[in-house]
Amino acid sequence: MWTIKTTYREELNSTFKRLEDKVSVLNKARPLPNIVVQNIREAFLVEWTFNSNNIEGNTLSLRETQMVLQEGVTIKGKSLREHFEAKNHETAINKLYELVKPNYVLNAKDILDIHGLVLRSIEDEHAGRLRNAGVRISGANFVPPNARKVSGYLDDLIQAINTNTQQLSPVELATLFHHKFVWIHPFFDGNGRTVRLVMNLLLMRHGYPPAIILANDRAKYYLALNQANHGNYTKLMLLMSQALERTLNIYLNAVPGLDKDYQTISSIVEEPDIPYGQEYVSLLARQGKIDAHKEGRNWYTTKEAVLAYVNSKS
Ligand SMILES: Nc1ncnc2c1ncn2[C@@H]1O[C@H](COP(=O)(O)OP(=O)(O)OP(=O)(O)O)[C@@H](O)[C@H]1O
Ligand SMILES: [Mg+2]
């Protein structure tokens, strides 16, 4: 059975708590106005597809991905494969929205179906099929298990997720799933894209928005996975939490009355009643200690969040 050393808890408890609070606020505000849900889903469809495919090596830009998905255009100079990767990822996300229900129980068939959609028309002979031979992950500090063990490991992992004997929170469970899944590496290709889809099913069934790992964070992401291979989950948990906080804030900000005034850290530290400098507030944001999220290269937080931290320390 798969367990996880929860040594990160002490450090990240306040972050997890803040995310849980935000989700319960969001879930209480449901059903959200249709226009809000539509607008955000469309934006996430493009962002999620762009970021996940870019991590995997797809060269379509965010704007090009949007044009392919929403305008049905073909981008000059980009391969047919890259276009398929974008369209397939969209189909797979739509499948997740179909599957997701509060009592959703993870199962192997859905995982294979999602993988099948990811590689459809690209590698049809492998789409939706477990690998039957060895693989190597370049740059990783481990070699995935023998192909004969894949099916059994995958079943064990699914069972561990569904029984959740350690009573892990949705964020922890999704992170554990992500790490163990890429360790098993069930497929010849498309493991990364598939796991970034399926882990979000685990979050979405609890009313969380999807966690979108940003292409900007690719190096950090691989480093965090390597550390998880050594049993140290702190970085990976933090990365997932940060990805979730960003999408959660996007939802909350789109609900009338729940929006907060997020500003760049550089503008907040200019306020006379903020006793900290930019470096320190950025550190608090990166460590998950204050309500903050990153857009592109900039961190955003609120004046209230910084003042609340100041008060908690005095
Ligand atoms: N150091 C590592 N430790 C554990 N897993 C890793 C490591 N480096 C990469 N991986 C995982 O392996 C995945 C790559 O697997 P694969 O090439 O089959 O998937 P992909 O979808 O084609 O690519 P990508 O994951 O890059 O999108 C990465 O996304 C990541 O999740
Ligand atoms: Mg690949």
Side-chain angles (χ1 to χ4, degrees):
M1 193 49 91
W2 304 80
T3 50
I4 183 171
K5 276 191 278 167
T6 52
T7 40
Y8 53 84
R9 279 234 175 110
E10 225 173 306
E11 237 170 297
L12 294 179
N13 251 342
S14 67
T15 313
F16 292 150
K17 172 84 170 55
R18 193 173 62 240
L19 295 177
E20 271 168 37
D21 289 348
K22 284 186 182 182
V23 167
S24 63
V25 169
L26 181 61
N27 286 340
K28 278 198 199 99
R30 290 180 197 275
L32 305 177
N34 237 330
I35 191 157
V36 167
V37 175
Q38 281 314 103
N39 173 265
I40 295 181
R41 274 196 189 179
E42 269 177 36
F44 283 178
L45 188 72
V46 174
E47 281 182 31
W48 185 353
T49 300
F50 160 71
N51 283 287
S52 193
N53 284 357
N54 183 288
I55 287 174
E56 172 266 336
N58 187 299
T59 66
L60 292 175
S61 66
L62 179 68
R63 172 83 181 113
E64 287 168 345
T65 304
Q66 185 259 329
M67 288 179 6
V68 170
L69 297 187
Q70 293 178 343
E71 291 161 31
V73 239
T74 310
I75 309 294
K76 213 173 136 207
K78 302 290 179 183
S79 67
L80 193 58
R81 181 191 173 111
E82 294 194 303
H83 286 82
F84 271 128
E85 285 178 347
K87 292 303 267 178
N88 285 358
H89 196 266
E90 173 182 45
T91 312
I93 290 178
N94 288 332
K95 168 90 180 171
L96 294 189
Y97 285 125
E98 257 171 54
L99 287 174
V100 74
K101 291 191 187 71
N103 312 326
Y104 175 77
V105 178
L106 187 62
N107 63 83
K109 181 183 176 295
D110 289 345
I111 296 177
L112 293 178
D113 284 352
I114 288 163
H115 180 259
L117 296 175
V118 166
L119 290 192
R120 191 168 60 180
S121 314
I122 301 173
E123 295 174 41
D124 277 323
E125 68 282 23
H126 299 305
R129 297 216 176 103
L130 298 178
R131 64 183 164 90
N132 55 6
V135 278
R136 299 190 68 85
I137 311 174
S138 46
N141 59 0
F142 74 101
V143 179
N146 186 285
R148 285 182 206 87
K149 296 192 179 144
V150 162
S151 176
Y153 278 156
L154 191 58
D155 288 341
D156 289 351
L157 175 59
I158 291 169
Q159 209 205 329
I161 293 297
N162 289 334
T163 50
N164 191 14
T165 47
Q166 289 173 280
Q167 300 195 310
L168 301 173
S169 64
V171 187
E172 293 172 278
L173 211 54
T175 307
L176 170 74
F177 175 75
H178 185 307
H179 172 248
K180 297 296 186 194
F181 188 91
V182 289
W183 180 83
I184 299 170
H185 231 71
F187 308 112
F188 278 119
D189 194 14
N191 294 282
R193 283 163 287 173
T194 302
V195 81
R196 291 187 291 273
L197 288 159
V198 178
M199 74 166 182
N200 280 330
L201 198 48
L202 299 178
L203 291 168
M204 284 152 57
R205 67 177 175 180
H206 292 288
Y208 279 85
I212 301 175
I213 296 170
L214 301 178
N216 260 338
D217 288 335
R218 184 171 189 251
K220 229 197 270 177
Y221 171 47
Y222 286 173
L223 183 69
L225 283 167
N226 269 338
Q227 293 193 354
N229 291 333
H230 289 126
N232 178 358
Y233 278 89
T234 308
K235 271 218 159 71
L236 196 59
M237 290 286 165
L238 189 57
L239 191 80
M240 281 316 163
S241 301
Q242 287 174 352
L244 254 186
E245 186 135 37
R246 188 181 79 92
T247 50
L248 264 171
N249 287 350
I250 290 172
Y251 262 105
L252 290 173
N253 261 341
V255 181
L258 293 183
D259 56 312
K260 290 192 201 163
D261 190 13
Y262 287 96
Q263 300 174 55
T264 56
I265 289 180
S266 55
S267 68
I268 285 179
V269 295
E270 277 174 18
E271 306 257 348
D273 50 338
I274 299 290
Y276 301 148
Q278 168 139 15
E279 301 259 301
Y280 187 60
V281 178
S282 302
L283 181 71
L284 294 175
R286 284 200 305 279
Q287 292 176 333
K289 299 218 164 109
I290 53 171
D291 177 2
H293 63 267
K294 203 177 174 187
E295 281 289 353
R297 298 191 185 285
N298 291 317
W299 277 99
Y300 286 76
T301 184
T302 65
K303 198 174 157 181
E304 293 70 34
V306 180
L307 289 175
Y309 187 82
V310 174
N311 287 332
S312 76
K313 292 288 137 186
S314 61

